[in-house]
Amino acid sequence: MKFKFIILFALLVSLNSAVKAKTPSPDSNEKIEVTPSPMDNACPADSKLPKITLVLGGGGCKALAEIGVLKVFERNHIPIHYIVGTSAGAIIGALYAAEVPLADIEELAIDGKLQGAMNPNLTFRVITLPLVKLIHFGKIYAGLTNGSDLEKFLRKKLPSEFANLKIPFAAIATDLESGNTCMITNGDLCKAIVASSAVPVLVRPVTIDNTIFIDGGIKANLPTNCAQLTGADLIVAVPADTPIRKVNKREFRSLRGLTARITDIMEVEIDKHRWQEANLVIYPSIGDTPAITKDPQIIKDTISAGEAAATEALPRLKTLIKSKTSSSSAK
């Protein structure tokens, strides 16, 4: 149980850094590194339909609501021309971009396999960390794990390269040295997703082509700013945040309750600055979903919350598609 608190503490450290960085407004001079241009692997949109980029935010197990959103898109034949994901959103987005059936992704979540890969048992890692550092002469970056559990899981489900995905996809990570947000759009797909999900303290920074990356949620937990670089006609964003409402003060008597509350407040503060960059925000009601859980019923309820939110937003989305289609035809 105490190792779950370590994970929660790691999330808190990450979000604290993000809030201090303060997400800039869309018209600021924020630099986004792109490897390479996201348009290099863009899927040409149907000439009759606007190109839709789907943005999937990070949030641990709360992001599993995005599975429900995808179910509604698929059921209603809403095309997705590009997916941009951060952290847990990158994991779900990549699985879908690889055409892993949604039923399979949902099963991986409900039976806990996905969460097990995202949040491995830390007991052995903590005990053996001094030995690991000794073997590597102390030259490894700080962190309790190297993300190998997640990487092994992903390599069984995904192609090795971005180029082999069925839907163009970008994983969002933070360049630890420059402090810039980075869109990774080519190369080793699974390594990029591990980098996007490398929560500081919990997971060691990930090196790709001599660049050191950590979790993309540090600066772009809901990366609508990155989606603007994909040439989208419509940007649809799905945040995985817990709405802030008054709770019983007894919740703060436990470390779990206090940490969860602070994390929720920080996530909302980070993401709300990005809403204005989307044409449509689908906001699942996931107030009772913790960032870390394997409870099958909670997972089912979280996915259902995503379905409900997407179903509610569907008329607005169809109106936007129709409007963009009409504007394109008039040109």
Side-chain angles (χ1 to χ4, degrees):
M1 185 65 69
K2 64 182 178 181
F3 295 106
K4 288 188 177 180
F5 292 145
I6 294 175
I7 296 175
L8 287 170
F9 175 74
L11 290 170
L12 180 57
V13 169
S14 302
L15 289 165
N16 183 49
S17 301
V19 171
K20 285 181 178 179
K22 276 308 249 187
T23 306
S25 59
D27 59 350
S28 71
N29 294 320
E30 179 189 16
K31 182 177 180 181
I32 300 175
E33 300 174 6
V34 186
T35 57
S37 166
M39 296 304 295
D40 289 351
N41 65 335
C43 177
D46 188 308
S47 59
K48 297 180 181 179
L49 293 173
K51 180 180 174 183
I52 298 174
T53 291
L54 183 64
V55 180
L56 301 178
C61 292
K62 293 183 287 185
L64 297 175
E66 295 161 355
I67 297 173
V69 173
L70 287 166
K71 289 172 71 174
V72 172
F73 271 58
E74 195 168 273
R75 190 181 305 135
N76 290 275
H77 309 290
I78 303 296
I80 300 172
H81 300 95
Y82 213 111
I83 298 175
V84 179
T86 293
S87 202
I91 297 170
I92 294 167
L95 289 168
Y96 190 74
E99 290 193 336
V100 175
L102 274 174
D104 292 353
I105 300 175
E106 185 172 13
E107 183 179 351
L108 288 170
I110 292 172
D111 68 15
K113 290 179 181 177
L114 179 56
Q115 299 91 302
M118 291 166 58
N119 304 303
N121 188 309
L122 296 178
T123 306
F124 180 75
R125 270 77 170 187
V126 172
I127 293 174
T128 60
L129 185 59
L131 178 60
V132 171
K133 285 193 171 184
L134 180 62
I135 292 173
H136 291 275
F137 301 102
K139 294 182 178 180
I140 60 172
Y141 297 118
L144 297 178
T145 79
N146 61 4
S148 59
D149 294 75
L150 177 58
E151 186 171 347
K152 289 175 184 176
F153 171 84
L154 293 172
R155 292 200 183 283
K156 294 177 181 178
K157 308 294 180 183
L158 298 175
S160 59
E161 302 285 327
F162 279 81
N164 296 324
L165 291 170
K166 302 301 181 182
I167 301 174
F169 168 75
I172 307 304
T174 304
D175 182 332
L176 187 56
E177 292 181 281
S178 71
N180 293 325
T181 294
C182 187
M183 292 180 71
I184 307 176
T185 62
N186 78 331
D188 189 325
L189 174 63
C190 298
K191 183 70 74 175
I193 296 170
V194 173
S196 178
S197 310
V199 178
V201 181
L202 175 60
V203 183
R204 294 173 206 141
V206 177
T207 302
I208 301 175
D209 295 332
N210 295 317
T211 301
I212 306 170
F213 293 108
I214 56 174
D215 195 296
I218 292 295
K219 289 194 67 178
N221 195 54
L222 187 68
T224 49
N225 55 333
C226 299
Q228 292 179 327
L229 302 178
T230 64
D233 298 306
L234 287 174
I235 295 175
V236 180
V238 187
D241 303 333
T242 299
I244 302 303
R245 52 179 177 261
K246 192 169 183 178
V247 297
N248 194 306
K249 62 182 69 175
R250 288 197 299 269
E251 295 287 328
F252 311 141
R253 293 176 182 172
S254 70
L255 179 60
R256 177 193 295 273
L258 179 61
T259 306
R261 179 63 169 180
I262 295 171
T263 301
D264 291 341
I265 293 171
M266 289 181 172
E267 276 187 343
V268 171
E269 177 66 19
I270 296 164
D271 289 351
K272 70 179 182 181
H273 297 284
R274 291 301 182 196
W275 284 34
Q276 60 188 312
E277 298 166 340
N279 299 95
L280 178 66
V281 176
I282 299 176
Y283 196 174
S285 179
I286 48 175
D288 295 327
T289 303
I292 304 165
T293 183
K294 287 187 179 181
D295 186 306
Q297 190 56 53
I298 292 177
I299 297 305
K300 290 177 183 178
D301 291 344
T302 302
I303 295 172
S304 294
E307 283 191 76
T311 299
E312 182 179 351
L314 192 59
R316 173 60 179 159
L317 177 56
K318 289 182 175 180
T319 298
L320 287 170
I321 292 173
K322 184 177 180 179
S323 175
K324 290 287 184 178
T325 302
S326 300
S327 298
S328 178
S329 300
K331 292 179 180 178

